[in-house]
Amino acid sequence: MSEYMIQVENLGKRYRLHRVQGARQYVALRDVIAERFNKLFQRVHSESRDVGHFWALRHLSFDIQQGESVAIIGRNGAGKSTLLKLLSRITEPTAGRIRLKGRVASLLEAGTGFHAELTGRENIYLNGAILGMTNSEMDRKFDAIVDFSGVEKFIDTPVKHFSSGMQVRLAFAVAAHLEPEILVVDEVLAVGDAAFQKKCMGKMQDITTEGRTVLFVSHDLAAVEKLCGRAILLDAGSSKADGPTAQTIERYQSSILDCASMDLTTRNDRHGEGLVRFTRIQMIDENGREQNVCLSGKSLRIRLHYQASDTKPLVNCRVSVSVNSWGKVYFLASTELYIDTPLTLAPSGFIDCIVDTLPLSLGTYYLSPYFEMNGITQDWIEAASILQVEDGNFYGTGKDYPKGWEGKTVLVKHRWEVASEKILTRR
């Protein structure tokens, strides 16, 4: 049996939430110093500060063997990124224990492990040194790293001048080619273009066939299923499923379906300050009737009901809604793309998003509404409502959409032209 490369036992990470009375919402240096003294002398914080705690992870345990490629999936806020930071030793756990065997290379955000003032070349050698590699080893790998990253023209430029995509390409190339025993990759690969993402997926598959271990976080469930034979589902900081990828994804999809079916007023997994909250979402057809099932190619009105905690008009607002399915966003509709002037709304009511021709193939989708006021997120709910789409004869041919493509594509009006017989015939 293969040996364990990662062992996590009863892991927990707790963050302290500070809420200061009045308008001040930051923690000053004097507060940090006072807190340290309070810890030393076991004093109790004054009543002017309400100290709460938030467990990003709690009671989490799992083992990963050598050569395994394991996905960590779950909704935003489930604890995925926190787990990777703990495994990468960026932060320390509050409870539990982590055992890692071998070198760990992490790619958690653009420019991970890079010094902004150093050039790409200097950062490559710096990362190698951190992993304990000699200059001669780095010399042998340097050309392969630069070739994979595709940034050879800028390799002697400080990375602070790199675009986020260039930083990701170089960071992944460094992490993958320095032969770590464990490679940890977060959603950051989504920054790269499609060709580079495909290249990275191939490299991660090569790494696992070489007997090294990959831990992969992504919302792209198709990529997860292709790369990983095992997946762990996190929800609210705890493991809800751990097993074959297809089974774990099915469990994840069921949990999203359950959440999207709930009354919005009972959802507590929302993000934002909460001065304005969505209360209901309606799907309305072209005749003004509420509908449970929408037809592709037909008009759809998405009505977002909201309620503010104050009676004053809501100024400088932005409202948007995204339509997604199993980790892929199919389209985003936003008021700032359609209305030039800042939006002012009544303290309660609804706002409609009208889609003249619904471009989705039959399948199940989810709506995620977002409300922003004065540049601050007020309410954002992932998978707030279900959008069930059936074939509406989008192309006007009366033919069904090809089997196996349900819920996977957008529909686009198009035409076909066939070359004349004279052109097709060879003489």
Side-chain angles (χ1 to χ4, degrees), residues 85-281:
K85 288 177 181 177
L86 291 171
L87 293 173
S88 302
R89 297 190 178 96
I90 293 174
T91 185
E92 293 294 322
T94 307
R97 181 164 53 180
I98 299 173
R99 292 192 182 97
L100 301 173
K101 185 169 184 179
R103 296 181 301 190
V104 179
S106 301
L107 185 58
L108 306 186
E109 59 184 25
T112 296
F114 286 168
H115 190 295
E117 300 295 334
L118 300 181
T119 66
R121 183 188 302 273
E122 291 166 338
N123 271 292
I124 291 174
Y125 280 89
L126 175 62
N127 274 261
I130 291 172
L131 289 176
M133 304 183 72
T134 65
N135 276 350
S136 59
E137 288 179 297
M138 291 304 304
D139 290 339
R140 290 196 301 271
K141 297 179 182 298
F142 181 81
D143 289 341
I145 291 172
V146 175
D147 181 65
F148 189 95
S149 69
V151 299
E152 58 273 11
K153 292 182 179 179
F154 309 96
I155 198 63
D156 290 310
T157 301
V159 297
K160 67 181 180 180
H161 299 305
F162 283 21
S163 68
S164 59
M166 290 168 62
Q167 290 185 29
V168 166
R169 291 199 296 272
L170 184 58
F172 182 87
V174 170
H177 285 80
L178 296 188
E179 298 183 358
E181 283 76 21
I182 302 169
L183 177 62
V184 178
V185 182
D186 203 349
E187 190 75 55
V188 68
L189 289 183
V191 176
D193 57 37
F196 184 73
Q197 289 179 35
K198 184 177 180 180
K199 195 175 180 180
C200 292
M201 293 292 290
K203 185 62 178 177
M204 286 191 284
Q205 288 176 323
D206 292 342
I207 288 174
T208 55
T209 57
E210 294 167 2
R212 289 180 278 161
T213 302
V214 173
L215 200 60
F216 182 45
V217 166
S218 178
H219 285 96
D220 187 344
L221 299 185
V224 164
E225 197 161 15
K226 181 179 180 181
L227 178 67
C228 304
R230 173 185 167 197
I232 299 172
L233 172 61
L234 293 187
D235 184 34
S238 301
S239 175
K240 299 301 180 182
D242 182 352
T245 301
Q247 294 180 16
T248 307
I249 287 177
E250 185 177 352
R251 175 77 177 270
Y252 180 35
Q253 292 172 338
S254 296
S255 68
I256 294 178
L257 189 65
D258 291 342
C259 282
S261 302
M262 293 173 59
D263 183 344
L264 278 191
T265 58
T266 66
R267 291 281 295 266
N268 55 14
D269 58 338
R270 55 217 303 163
H271 309 271
E273 286 201 345
L275 298 179
V276 185
R277 288 200 162 188
F278 294 106
T279 58
R280 185 185 177 197
I281 298 178

Side-chain angles (χ1 to χ4, degrees), residues 243-349:
T245 301
Q247 294 180 16
T248 307
I249 287 177
E250 185 177 352
R251 175 77 177 270
Y252 180 35
Q253 292 172 338
S254 296
S255 68
I256 294 178
L257 189 65
D258 291 342
C259 282
S261 302
M262 293 173 59
D263 183 344
L264 278 191
T265 58
T266 66
R267 291 281 295 266
N268 55 14
D269 58 338
R270 55 217 303 163
H271 309 271
E273 286 201 345
L275 298 179
V276 185
R277 288 200 162 188
F278 294 106
T279 58
R280 185 185 177 197
I281 298 178
Q282 290 178 286
M283 313 296 173
I284 299 174
D285 66 14
E286 54 193 0
N287 297 314
R289 296 174 301 199
E290 188 171 2
Q291 56 184 342
N292 295 321
V293 177
C294 306
L295 296 179
S296 61
K298 304 300 182 183
S299 174
L300 171 64
R301 183 181 294 264
I302 303 171
R303 179 160 292 173
L304 305 174
H305 295 260
Y306 65 89
Q307 175 69 54
S309 58
D310 201 345
T311 57
K312 298 178 181 178
L314 309 176
V315 297
N316 195 19
C317 298
R318 178 168 72 92
V319 181
S320 65
V321 60
S322 64
V323 178
N324 57 314
S325 178
W326 314 138
K328 288 187 178 295
V329 177
Y330 284 88
F331 67 83
L332 170 70
S334 175
T335 55
E336 70 175 346
L337 300 175
Y338 189 79
I339 302 173
D340 294 332
T341 58
L343 194 63
T344 299
L345 298 172
S348 65

